[in-house]
Every structure is written in structure tokens, then in C-alpha cells.
Amino acid sequence: MIAAARKVCLMTAAAVLIAFGWTEKQAESGVLESPELGKAATMAAACGGCHGKGGDAIVGLDTRSADEIQSLLMAYKADAAGSSVMHRISRGYSEAQIRMIAAYLAAREGR
Amino acid sequence: MAARPDRRAVIAGLAALAAMPSFAAGNSARVVVVGGGYGGATAARFIKRLAPEVKVTLVEPNRTFTSCPLSNLVIVAARDLAAQRFGYQALAREGIDIVHDRATDVDAAARTVALAGGSTLRYDRLILSPGIDIDWSALEGYGSAAAEAMPHAWKAGEQTLLLRRQLEAMEDGGLVVISVPRAPFRCPPGPYERASLIAHYLRNRKPRAKLLVLDAKDDFSKQPLFQAEWAARYGGVLEWRGASDGGRVSRVDAGAMTLETDFERIRADVANVIPPQKAGEIAARAGVADSTGWCPVNAVAFESSLQPGIHVIGDATIAAPMPKSAFTANMQAKVCAVQVARLLRGMSPEPTVLVNTCYSYLDPDEAISISGVYSNEGGVLADVPGAGGVSPAAPNPRSRTSEAAEAFDWFRAITRETFG
Ligand SMILES: Cc1cc2nc3c(=O)[nH]c(=O)nc-3n(C[C@H](O)[C@H](O)[C@H](O)COP(=O)(O)OP(=O)(O)OC[C@H]3O[C@@H](n4cnc5c(N)ncnc54)[C@H](O)[C@@H]3O)c2cc1C
């Protein structure tokens, strides 16, 4: 009964992961239990409007590690003189939110 | 190494959704999405991917969608309309039922949507993303027949091509007039992007022609930036007149090709009348539009404040300070999709942080941008203090061209995320 319920959980989680580009493997290795899903998924959803596979002027996020994404966003946030779109956006997030978004984005794409 | 616990925490967060009861086969929840534009197509795709067991139906009369973003480039012959068109094949492949029909009515109590073709769709949750309709009653003399002589080109397609042909056919030395309505309307910087591109076109192709922008407002989006750039680029070509200088157009005569303000009657060779707008008609039929013509929502899940079970996203909503943009519609759609999936499983929606960015071309190779970051705590959208803003007034030499390149990449990314 519990095993069956757990399997359903994992399958649903897998669907969520695939929806946002995560892999099933991560779903199964994931430690369950957290109230933060809505926030992680929806905060990271802001990125997809521009950062798809990447183009000439906008980078793709599919090859970057969580640390890389996090330090880039933190650098934008800290650079008070910066005026690019990413400077203006990064100032809207706390360090904890940036960590969350970076972790979420980096855990996609089956790495 | 430092990111490890966070990543685990994020993965753990998925448990919240995973722990929700799923629907037994044969009893799956139904979500109907009305409108296959930037909001609706995105919402349909994300719900289907989040919750494959949900039966998702997208109602959209057109077989191809024609994008407004970048359509101002089409007007000045810098882009083909074909590059603005997107189909629904990817959505169909993903298991979304596409119904090419028009929703004509919604019964919020019975939870049904009536279609022009005569059939009825049942829903557990309805998402409306119908965009705008022109408020034909709001400008004296303007109507669908007048729009054939004085195009609005505010829904992309034939209107876009009509305005392009009129500009091409106009003699050098002619007068182009753009009239801009009071806020709110679709794409706040759009009229000024269009003015910039038309001024650029005239300067190069019809150097004796002039462009007059008649505005029902005194302020507009990215105003200082636009005005500084206009002064530097289009000094003798473009004149902008705000409401306090008699810019507000109160009446038009399509036969005489005239626009009337409080002070004068102006005869145009080409008149682009951007008329007052309201939420797509189906919103009023569904009872989700208020007396302003737009739709109040609780912005955590974008559920209507007037009708439970109906969510409204995109241009149709009252979402200020978020502007009516494709970026906003796509962003709201993804948030709405997650929250609808949660609601269907009996969980409550969670507030988050949303973003908008709109690029505006100054000429076909240079652009400026505006960004905003918003919280939706308590269901009310609010600017996150200290974030957002516009491109610098005195940029480094490459900033305008790199923002034009970003605009192009943005379009590719968002249309891919929306239509596949
Ligand atoms: C000239 C111009 C330039 C723009 N440039 C930009 C830009 O650079 N960046 C940006 O972010 N935004 C831009 N926009 C704004 C953008 O086009 C809109 O904000 C966006 O399309 C809103 O998405 P939506 O889903 O609300 O509506 P839409 O994308 O218009 O989709 C609505 C859909 O609903 C369908 N529909 C309506 N009623 C019904 C019904 N009863 N039954 C079934 N289907 C129905 C319609 O056929 C349509 O396909 C621009 C707009 C204009 C006019």
C-alpha cells in the first residue's frame, strides 16, 4: 500500500520534472517532502521566456551548473552600476531565491 | 558542493505536488483553455506536461496564430508576415485536444463552455486568455468598416499588411498620423516602437513625409528614452503631441481621412488609429469582466475575482503594474498552470515572483527595453522595490544593437516555449 502510493508519488513527481525539463532519474533520487515546489517551479518559469536553447545574444541555460548560474545572478545583483536587462531583473531577488532558481535550472537536462 | 542541499531541497519540493491524490482513470479532471495565443497556448502546454492525466482542451478559431510582437517590423517592410505565424501541431502531438472553434458563452454555474459550432465543453477549471477586442463603441466614427481605411494593426495579420501597403503607396511628402488611446491597452510601448520604425522608414524612403503621433495621454512607457532617441534620430520627421497639447483624438472620419482633436481637424494620408480596447468579448460573456471592460483576478493563481473556477491570464486581466505584453501573458500562463495543477489536486496555490521584459525597436537594428519584477503575495501584483527599469539613457555604443539582438532571441525563445 505504502509502496504503491510511493510509486504514484514518484510518477507524478516525474511528470513535474519532465514538464520543467528535469529527468525522471532525478525524481527518483530526490528526497521528497517540501512546501517549496510552487515557488521553485514558478520562479524559475520566469527564465524560459528568453532563455530557451540560447541564441546569438541570449545565453542558453542548459549547460550551466547551479554554482555558475548562482554566481552570475549574484554578480548582476551586486553590480549597482549595471544596466542590462539581467542587472535590472536580478535586483528583484533575495540570495535565497537566487540559490533556489539556480539549483532548479541546473538540475534539469539530465545532468 | 555548496549548491547540493539547495538542489535537494528543490527536488524535495516536488513532493508537495507528488503527494497530491491523482485522478483515477476514466475520472480525469478537465481543463478548458480559451484562446491559443501567448497566454492560452503556454498554459495548455504546461498543464498537460505537469499533469498528463488531465484532459486539456484548447479552443481557438484560427489554425495559425499571427504574432503581434515584431509585427511593427512587418509594417515597415523589415520582416515577412510569414515569420509571425505559428501552428498548433506541437500542442496536438503533446496530447492537447485542439478545437478550432470560437467560444460563444460560458455557464460558470454549470461549468460549461458553448462553442459557435454548437457543441458544449465541460470543465473543472477554465482558463481564459482571449486577448483584447477593439472597443468599437469608444471612438466616434471608428468601426470595422472604418478600420479598412484607417487600420489599427493592433491584431496582427491582414491589418498589419494593410498598413504596410498604405505606407508603401503613400506619396513622398504625405502625412502619417498615429492615434494612441488612453491606458490601459495592449503593449504600452508598442505605439512608440511603431512611431520609431515608421519615422525611420519615412526618413529613408519618403524623406519629405511627416509622422504625427496624437496621444490621449501625457505620459507613456519609456518616454524619456523614446523622446531623446527621437530628437537625435528623427528630429524633422516625427512630432508627438500629448493630451494637454490637444493630442487626444475624439472623432474620426474614415471617408474624409480626418482625425479630430479638441482643437483641430487633421487630414492624414495614412491614418493608424489604435483604438480603445477591452478584454476579449468572451470575458464579458463569462461574467469575469467588470465595468472597466477588463478582468479582476486574484494574482496568485489568476483566478477570477468574480467567478470561481475561471482563471484569466494575459491582456484580458487587470494586472498592473504588469503590462499587457506577450512576455506577461506567457509568464502568467506558467504560474497559472502550476497553480491550477495544484488546485485540481486539492492543494492551495503559492505566491511567487514574476517578471516582464519588453523590447522596443528604435530602428530595425537598434532597440531599448523595459523590465519589471513583481510579487503576487496576497493575490495583488506589486513591483519588487529596487528592481526593474529601462535601458540606460547614455549607453555604451553597442547597447542598442545588442538589445535588438536580444529582442530577436527573445522572440525565438518565447514562441518556441508557447507553440513548440
Ligand atoms: C504592434 C504590437 C507589438 C507588440 N510587441 C510586443 C513585444 O515586443 N513584446 C511583448 O511582450 N508583447 C508585445 N505585444 C503584446 C502582445 O501581442 C500581447 O500582449 C499578447 O499577444 C497577449 O497574449 P494573450 O494570450 O492575452 O492574447 P493573444 O496572444 O492575442 O491571444 C488571444 C487568442 O484568443 C483567441 N480568442 C479570442 N476570443 C476567443 C474566443 N471567444 N474563443 C476562442 N478563442 C478566442 C484569439 O483568436 C487569439 O488567438 C505587442 C502587441 C502589438 C499590437
Side-chain angles (χ1 to χ4, degrees):
Chain A
M1 199 47 209
I2 289 168
R6 193 179 136 72
K7 194 158 178 226
V8 170
C9 284
L10 286 174
M11 281 166 60
T12 315
V16 173
L17 297 178
I18 291 161
F20 285 93
W22 295 40
T23 64
E24 269 178 80
K25 194 155 163 278
Q26 282 155 350
E28 286 172 358
S29 66
V31 184
L32 304 179
E33 301 285 288
S34 161
E36 291 290 300
L37 166 77
K39 252 204 148 122
T42 52
M43 281 197 306
C47 311
C50 290
H51 297 275
K53 294 211 172 299
D56 301 329
I58 296 180
V59 299
L61 289 172
D62 43 350
T63 59
R64 312 230 166 194
S65 71
D67 287 344
E68 252 182 300
I69 296 171
Q70 183 181 330
S71 47
L72 277 168
L73 289 173
M74 287 304 293
Y76 279 124
K77 180 180 165 66
D79 177 7
S83 59
S84 73
V85 167
M86 282 311 301
H87 284 97
R88 292 176 244 150
I89 291 175
S90 301
R91 288 178 196 128
Y93 297 86
S94 68
E95 183 171 358
Q97 289 173 327
I98 284 176
R99 238 188 348 251
M100 194 80 169
I101 292 169
Y104 192 91
L105 290 171
R108 307 171 312 162
E109 302 298 330
R111 57 183 70 215
Chain B
M1 224 29 228
R4 256 339 274 171
D6 302 307
R7 189 173 309 178
R8 219 178 290 129
V10 173
I11 293 169
L14 297 166
L17 191 55
M20 299 182 289
S22 61
F23 296 93
N27 188 27
S28 56
R30 292 162 188 261
V31 172
V32 173
V33 181
V34 172
Y38 280 100
T42 304
R45 291 189 88 190
F46 275 78
I47 289 188
K48 192 65 193 172
R49 283 188 266 166
L50 276 166
E53 76 284 3
V54 174
K55 189 170 157 32
V56 180
T57 305
L58 177 68
V59 182
E60 164 61 51
N62 302 311
R63 287 185 185 264
T64 53
F65 177 78
T66 306
S67 169
C68 285
L70 270 50
S71 70
N72 284 333
L73 290 169
V74 177
I75 289 169
V76 296
R79 187 174 169 85
D80 282 338
L81 191 66
Q84 300 291 107
R85 296 210 150 119
F86 300 88
Y88 297 98
Q89 297 81 354
L91 278 73
R93 273 198 305 275
E94 289 162 6
I96 296 161
D97 282 331
I98 316 280
V99 177
H100 286 299
D101 204 343
R102 173 167 291 279
T104 52
D105 214 343
V106 174
D107 184 333
R111 302 210 166 200
T112 56
V113 179
L115 306 183
S119 53
T120 299
L121 299 170
R122 302 185 58 79
Y123 66 81
D124 296 296
R125 295 261 161 196
L126 174 64
I127 299 177
L128 298 179
S129 191
I132 56 146
D133 267 324
I134 308 295
D135 187 352
W136 296 112
S137 66
L139 178 60
E140 195 186 336
Y142 202 64
S144 51
E148 295 303 312
M150 297 177 144
H152 53 78
W154 220 240
K155 289 187 174 190
E158 272 315 306
Q159 280 275 311
T160 313
L161 295 177
L162 177 60
L163 182 55
R164 172 176 171 159
R165 283 194 303 270
Q166 289 186 347
L167 280 175
E168 282 170 347
M170 187 185 77
E171 306 233 327
D172 193 2
L175 176 67
V176 181
V177 178
I178 299 178
S179 103
V180 187
R182 256 202 303 263
F185 55 87
R186 155 177 285 182
C187 195
Y192 313 99
E193 173 187 72
R194 179 174 291 176
S196 307
L197 288 168
I198 290 179
H200 178 264
Y201 172 88
L202 296 179
R203 205 195 55 197
N204 290 347
R205 311 276 190 94
K206 328 236 165 178
R208 293 187 298 114
K210 298 264 183 285
L211 169 62
L212 175 61
V213 182
L214 296 174
D215 206 323
K217 308 180 299 321
D218 279 320
D219 317 290
F220 59 87
S221 176
K222 310 180 216 181
Q223 183 171 12
L225 264 182
F226 270 119
Q227 289 187 320
E229 293 287 348
W230 289 345
R233 292 157 191 262
Y234 308 126
V237 183
L238 192 169
E239 181 193 344
W240 176 81
R241 217 175 278 174
S244 12
D245 296 320
R248 194 181 73 87
V249 171
S250 51
R251 188 174 176 279
V252 298
D253 182 336
M257 283 297 283
T258 55
L259 302 95
E260 279 174 45
T261 68
D262 292 344
F263 303 109
E264 58 185 322
R265 179 179 299 163
I266 295 161
R267 201 191 157 280
D269 295 291
V270 173
N272 170 212
V273 175
I274 303 170
Q277 299 149 37
K278 59 183 182 179
E281 187 57 39
I282 190 67
R285 304 286 311 170
V288 296
D290 69 13
S291 60
T292 65
W294 305 98
C295 306
V297 291
N298 177 317
V300 174
F302 292 89
E303 188 161 3
S304 167
S305 316
L306 304 177
Q307 299 288 352
I310 304 181
H311 301 254
V312 191
I313 53 175
D315 285 356
T317 57
I318 298 171
M322 282 190 100
K324 300 187 188 302
S325 72
F327 194 116
T328 288
N330 164 276
M331 172 86 248
Q332 293 178 346
K334 289 179 279 188
V335 170
C336 181
V338 171
Q339 310 305 1
V340 163
R342 293 165 67 87
L343 284 162
L344 287 172
R345 290 170 170 81
M347 297 182 73
S348 51
E350 296 240 7
T352 187
V353 180
L354 298 90
V355 168
N356 176 67
T357 295
C358 287
Y359 293 95
S360 299
Y361 285 89
L362 299 167
D363 68 34
D365 300 311
E366 297 188 72
I368 52 178
S369 62
I370 185 165
S371 299
V373 183
Y374 314 94
S375 104
N376 64 353
E377 292 283 344
V380 178
L381 285 160
D383 283 310
V384 172
V390 299
S391 311
N396 75 51
R398 287 189 323 280
S399 157
R400 304 286 191 246
T401 46
S402 60
E403 290 211 342
E406 285 170 30
F408 196 74
D409 281 356
W410 163 78
F411 182 80
R412 270 210 304 233
I414 198 169
T415 52
R416 194 159 188 278
E417 192 176 58
T418 304
F419 301 105

